[in-house]
Amino acid sequence: MPSDLENLIEKTDPFYDTNWCDMPAEIKLECIGKMKFRERLSLRCTAKAERSLVDSQKIEFDEGRFWGDDKMMSFEILSCAFTDYKKLIISDDGLFTAKKIEFLQCDIGIVDAVLRKMKTGVETIKINYGRNISHELAEILAIPHVQNVPYWHIHNYEETDSLHKMWIDKSSKIGSTFQVYVQHNDSFRDFLEHFDDRILSKNENRVRIRTNNPDRHILLERGLDPFVLLDYEPIYFRLKMISAEMKESEYDDDCQKWIRKFDREIYRPKNYYAQIGFYGYYYK
Amino acid sequence: MSSTEQGTSSAAPAEPTTAPESAAAPEVPESFYYVHGKDKVVHKVSAGALQHSALIHGMISNLGYTEEQAKANPFPFENIDGDILQMVVDWCNQHKGKPTPPEDTNLPKQKEKLFDLVLAVNYLEIKELLTYCCKQVAMMVKGKSPEEIREIWMIPTDAEDEAAEKEAKKRAGKEAAGETAAAAGDAK
């Protein structure tokens, strides 16, 4: 063989009777990249070395759902460097990354477990539990990396004592928003009880509250939209972290906008509910 | 070197075909190169087909061989089994100048052959074929349990791995001790 050709041919061991274990890591990763979620989970259970290879690769989902007995979680955008969902509760932290998370009718223990597994970077958390989660919320809000999530909304929130604590004590970013809807009409008063000695200004729809950070105020707004009245009257509230410098003239008066973000269906066309034979909603 | 020159084999397509050219375009003679594997069987492959392999393509550019020189100096890939190289050559011929389809169902289903092919393709840097092969490897374990995967791919358990590692360390220790004793004996 001429020497110039010899120089170009790199000497390697012959490829003969090769098996998975003889494959270099980069090839294994390429193969793992072609596997579906289930096969990856199976492979990672075969041996430690395989597990670390599988775990080193991210798997991306447009949407992920986990089912259990009467439990379901839905991630709007979930990018997962992942776990066996059966081991979710006991596995490592920081396994999931997602911008938006929505919990629908799922056990609050699962909400807590999943949020603890999240990496930072979550932008939206929506909880539609179906039952009141007020008591458990304090525990959820104590998870350090979810405290700075800029947008929260919670359906069916009854108690009023968790939300304000988080923002009074901690200095959240300006613009951070917490939206809740509550099923009884006394909630505004209940909220105010917690802020009694901190109220800076107050009217029918809006209260401005002092926090422990002199640069930050909380704006508590009640979504009273004259366009819509509901016969069982859920009350929409929005807590927003604002700059202490913000003037009243700068307040956003369009509560429709944020109520719509919370509950898209509420502003359906006037005859929509009549058409589908549901008369629970009526319009002024 | 036993040189069984063959542009094709029974499994391979007929003589490397040239892409159809317009009547007006002048005929450019296609150049051919020669490769052989461990079995020394020489395969004649067109430059067009070899374009799939980044490694061989680079070698061709570097060497600048004439037709005669290329014929006299086949590229030797001693690390690749003859039948595996045949598969690679066939694939390159079949996909010469064509866009690669999203699936390739003609890859070997036999585990050892597939893994040998993966390593050969990786070595020869044939990106598209490597993608197909990796997909095929992934398909081997579709729907399989961890136990089944371990069996199919002969993955040792952690305990077996640890035992093998201990054994290897022990052996290495013994060998090192033997070498030291031999060196001491030589010094005397």
Side-chain angles (χ1 to χ4, degrees):
Chain A
M1 194 192 335
S3 60
D4 48 357
L5 182 54
E6 201 170 355
N7 290 340
L8 288 170
I9 304 279
E10 192 191 333
K11 296 283 175 226
T12 60
D13 290 335
F15 311 137
Y16 184 68
D17 269 351
T18 337
N19 217 320
W20 176 257
C21 300
D22 307 314
M23 309 283 272
E26 68 266 22
I27 299 285
K28 282 186 176 182
L29 288 172
E30 185 84 26
C31 297
I32 291 167
K34 309 273 180 248
M35 287 178 197
K36 301 262 193 234
F37 189 61
R38 188 182 159 187
E39 283 75 35
R40 293 188 194 202
L41 290 182
S42 291
L43 179 61
R44 81 186 287 281
C45 293
T46 57
K48 270 186 207 163
E50 307 305 332
R51 184 168 65 208
S52 64
L53 271 182
V54 171
D55 288 355
S56 73
Q57 281 216 320
K58 283 187 174 179
I59 184 163
E60 297 212 350
F61 300 92
D62 290 331
E63 185 173 306
R65 287 180 181 182
F66 294 80
W67 278 273
D69 298 333
D70 302 324
K71 298 163 194 157
M72 192 266 279
M73 299 178 269
S74 163
F75 294 80
E76 267 191 44
I77 300 173
L78 171 68
S79 149
C80 168
F82 59 78
T83 181
D84 180 344
Y85 70 88
K86 287 173 190 161
K87 294 177 184 167
L88 185 68
I89 309 295
I90 53 164
S91 58
D92 310 327
D93 284 352
L95 287 168
F96 297 113
T97 58
K99 286 187 176 169
K100 299 177 185 176
I101 311 171
E102 188 169 355
F103 297 99
L104 294 169
Q105 310 292 333
C106 64
D107 189 279
I108 202 69
I110 299 288
V111 174
D112 187 90
V114 169
L115 290 180
R116 284 178 198 280
K117 304 290 167 254
M118 300 305 302
K119 284 187 179 169
T120 50
V122 179
E123 291 171 7
T124 298
I125 295 176
K126 297 179 179 180
I127 303 176
N128 188 349
Y129 181 40
R131 284 197 296 120
N132 196 317
I133 63 157
S134 311
H135 295 298
E136 297 90 344
L137 189 63
E139 220 165 285
I140 291 172
L141 294 179
I143 302 169
H145 58 273
V146 302
Q147 281 174 358
N148 279 326
V149 172
Y151 179 80
W152 286 75
H153 82 217
I154 300 174
H155 287 247
N156 213 4
Y157 178 80
E158 283 300 319
E159 299 296 321
T160 51
D161 61 341
S162 304
L163 300 180
H164 73 281
K165 272 185 200 161
M166 184 170 89
W167 280 358
I168 295 283
D169 299 339
K170 314 246 189 286
S171 189
S172 288
K173 278 184 193 158
I174 288 173
S176 296
T177 305
F178 222 118
Q179 294 189 184
V180 294
Y181 93 59
V182 181
Q183 292 286 15
H184 67 87
N185 207 3
D186 296 333
S187 309
F188 199 49
R189 198 188 56 216
D190 291 348
F191 266 117
L192 296 185
E193 275 177 16
H194 299 291
F195 300 127
D196 215 16
D197 53 341
R198 293 178 173 270
I199 293 173
L200 297 168
S201 65
K202 179 175 144 187
N203 65 27
E204 188 195 1
N205 299 341
R206 199 172 271 137
V207 182
R208 189 164 175 151
I209 300 148
R210 180 172 51 81
T211 70
N212 289 342
N213 179 347
D215 298 333
R216 302 272 197 279
H217 288 169
I218 296 171
L219 196 62
L220 168 64
E221 295 171 291
R222 183 178 178 178
L224 282 179
D225 180 10
F227 180 77
V228 58
L229 273 179
L230 307 176
D231 57 355
Y232 62 94
E233 293 190 346
I235 313 293
Y236 295 91
F237 289 106
R238 175 168 78 162
L239 286 106
K240 196 165 183 180
M241 187 61 85
I242 59 168
S243 158
E245 304 287 314
M246 191 179 191
K247 295 178 183 138
E248 286 193 16
S249 58
E250 293 172 310
Y251 289 165
D252 171 18
D253 285 322
D254 186 3
C255 69
Q256 262 196 33
K257 200 171 149 191
W258 61 264
I259 292 177
R260 199 188 294 272
K261 193 173 177 186
F262 196 98
D263 189 348
R264 248 173 280 157
E265 294 190 356
I266 203 127
Y267 292 108
R268 290 225 193 252
K270 203 170 178 178
N271 59 354
Y272 175 80
Y273 295 100
Q275 278 174 3
I276 63 166
F278 179 71
Y279 296 96
Y281 293 75
Y282 61 89
Y283 295 82
K284 218 175 185 182
Chain B
M1 179 191 296
S2 72
S3 174
T4 314
E5 184 180 307
Q6 54 173 62
T8 60
S9 71
S10 57
E15 273 291 318
T17 52
T18 46
E21 290 174 43
S22 73
E27 283 278 325
V28 180
E30 194 169 21
S31 46
F32 287 88
Y33 291 87
Y34 301 83
V35 294
H36 74 77
K38 195 178 172 187
D39 61 358
K40 309 276 196 257
V41 175
V42 175
H43 304 266
K44 180 184 177 186
V45 201
S46 71
L50 287 176
Q51 285 224 333
H52 284 291
S53 164
L55 177 82
I56 300 178
H57 187 62
M59 286 163 68
I60 291 171
S61 310
N62 274 318
L63 293 165
Y65 277 171
T66 62
E67 187 85 0
E68 284 310 305
Q69 284 172 313
K71 198 167 184 179
N73 301 295
F75 297 132
F77 298 113
E78 308 278 355
N79 51 349
I80 302 176
D81 248 10
D83 55 345
I84 298 292
L85 189 62
Q86 178 73 67
M87 281 183 214
V88 174
V89 167
D90 289 350
W91 188 90
C92 290
N93 279 327
Q94 279 162 7
H95 296 88
K96 186 180 79 169
K98 289 182 202 162
T100 44
E103 296 282 335
D104 194 327
T105 49
N106 296 322
L107 297 174
K109 303 277 185 290
Q110 219 184 326
K111 166 181 77 174
E112 290 81 6
K113 288 255 182 269
L114 181 59
F115 284 134
D116 287 352
L117 181 62
V118 170
L119 291 180
V121 165
N122 184 46
Y123 174 73
L124 295 170
E125 298 173 49
I126 307 175
K127 208 178 151 199
E128 296 94 335
L129 185 52
L130 183 63
T131 304
Y132 294 139
C133 290
C134 290
K135 216 170 188 175
Q136 183 82 4
V137 170
M139 287 299 288
M140 286 169 80
V141 294
K142 194 179 173 197
K144 300 281 189 270
S145 67
E147 211 40 63
E148 286 169 324
I149 294 179
R150 192 179 287 135
E151 204 172 298
I152 294 168
W153 283 350
M154 297 165 74
I155 300 173
T157 60
D158 289 336
E160 285 167 348
D161 245 352
E162 277 164 26
E165 211 172 298
K166 262 186 197 169
E167 187 59 39
K169 267 187 193 167
K170 212 169 155 185
R171 210 178 310 124
K174 270 183 188 170
E175 275 171 17
E179 274 170 25
T180 318
D186 286 348
K188 278 180 189 174

